[in-house]
Amino acid sequence: MTKRDRPRVDYTPCQAALEALQAARTLYPKANTQALIDRLVITGLSALVHGKWQPPSLWGTRERWKLPDDLREQIPVQSG
């Protein structure tokens, strides 16, 4: 598929998604943002389809979603 034929996906993440992306950056520090998003989407779909994994509960509007504590631990603490 050529770049011209690929669909454009607008990215307006909620806070939990930004935190997940930051955690992914610590796991794959050499990957660019688009590669991280692609990896997370493909991995997430695989986990949902294979059914051996329980997705976190995301209740309410996406702006209110919270990253689960076990994933939050992957985010490095930023000293300021």
Side-chain angles (χ1 to χ4, degrees):
M1 177 182 301
T2 65
K3 187 173 183 178
R4 185 174 51 110
D5 296 330
R6 284 184 278 179
R8 169 90 177 149
V9 177
D10 290 329
Y11 179 58
T12 53
C14 64
Q15 185 60 38
L18 287 172
E19 292 172 3
L21 189 57
Q22 182 60 38
R25 278 193 181 101
T26 66
L27 297 171
Y28 300 97
K30 294 183 180 182
N32 64 32
T33 300
Q34 186 60 58
L36 290 172
I37 293 168
D38 291 351
R39 181 180 293 273
L40 290 169
V41 168
I42 293 165
T43 301
L45 177 61
S46 177
L48 289 172
V49 168
H50 290 104
K52 296 180 182 177
W53 169 78
Q54 182 67 32
S57 297
L58 301 172
W59 302 104
T61 62
R62 61 188 278 272
E63 290 80 18
R64 296 182 67 188
W65 291 351
K66 301 289 185 207
L67 202 61
D69 290 338
D70 61 332
L71 296 177
R72 186 179 296 278
E73 293 170 0
Q74 299 295 319
I75 302 170
V77 177
Q78 295 186 9
S79 58

